[in-house]
Amino acid sequence: MSNEMVLPKVTKEFLKEHGIRIKKRLGQNFLIDEGILNRIVEVADLGKDDIVIEIGPGMGTLTKKLAQEVKKVLAIEIDENLVKLLKETLAPFKNIEIIHADILKINLKKLVTRLSGYPVTRFKKQADWQTGRLADKVKVVANLPYYITTPIIIHLLKAREILSKIVIMVQKEVGRRMVAKPRTKDYGALSLLVQYYTKPQITIKVPRSAFLPEPEVDSCVVNLEVLEKPAVEVKDEELFFKVVRAAFEQRRKALKNALSRTRDLRLSKKKVLEILEKADIKPLRRGETLSLEEFARLSNLLTK
Ligand code: SAM
């Protein structure tokens, strides 16, 4: 059976024929540009032993391409109608597992453990992952539903021990925020979160015309190489991210004010000035000028 017979081109007629109503609220914009689909697969740099998690397979176009390259694809889709269709159209691909679920409610470590045959205990110690066979074998490749981009990134980063690479299509502006450097308008809490755990790179620019229906924004594909250990040394990650959030909540304000005005940190202005001096950071600087290293230094000084 040829691939074209298994999965015909996604067109308006195809959707109508299969009774699929596009659900905008689920971020359903199907990627129909063959060239871009192929480039995503290239960026993912797949191998025959790889296990890939795909979020939101939709009509299965990318899923099928991934399945041809890897050992197993775990495709997680929330829309019941699409799940039914995928189970039919992708039936010839024995290495695709269609999972009907909300990605944000799935425990990815447990899922991969169950399906890979590895015992859960392997996931308990990070060291096992750093040297273990699976560590460099689980990749995420997905054209994300944009309404939950940030929650999905946070969810994936929580399962980072089992991931080596996250290749995701996101809104162009979100991609820019992920790779942004200090002193730019795009630099913010998302830049720091992503750059703390991964090495991000924008790899493909994607025009809105590559989708059906066309979204109102342009897109890009970001490749996040998950780091073996975070980019900087932080004593208390929760506190580090609290400092980051506080600095950007009032991004136009000088740090001495931004940090002392947030309830999350409960710091007096005197304490803030003292810490800033120790960290060798001028109190009038704004949060948006601080590098990852400077945020780490600051939060480490606050750690008791
Ligand atoms: N992968 C397909 C493609 O490239 O054409 C579809 C991508 S579309 C942008 C996003 C997909 O994510 C849709 O199929 C949508 O139903 C699904 N989705 C939305 N929210 C989801 C969630 N919380 N969990 C899993 N899938 C979700």
Side-chain angles (χ1 to χ4, degrees), residues 26-31 54-59 61-62 76-79 82 101-104 143-145 147-148:
L26 290 180
Q28 292 180 352
N29 298 92
F30 302 112
L31 187 55
E54 188 193 3
I55 300 159
M59 308 290 296
T61 1
L62 179 60
I76 302 162
E77 173 59 62
I78 199 171
D79 184 335
L82 290 179
D102 177 345
I103 177 65
L104 297 178
N143 172 15
L144 290 189
Y147 73 105
I148 42 170

Side-chain angles (χ1 to χ4, degrees), residues 182 187 192 231-234 240 281 290-300:
Y187 188 61
L192 286 150
V232 288
E233 209 169 306
V234 162
F240 169 75
I281 296 170
L290 258 60
S291 66
L292 194 54
E293 290 75 13
E294 286 176 313
F295 272 113
R297 208 182 323 141
L298 201 56
S299 81
N300 285 345

Side-chain angles (χ1 to χ4, degrees), residues 276-291:
L276 284 170
E277 189 176 359
K278 272 195 197 154
D280 199 18
I281 296 170
K282 297 215 161 56
L284 284 178
R285 279 177 65 186
R286 293 173 179 166
E288 62 192 10
T289 69
L290 258 60
S291 66

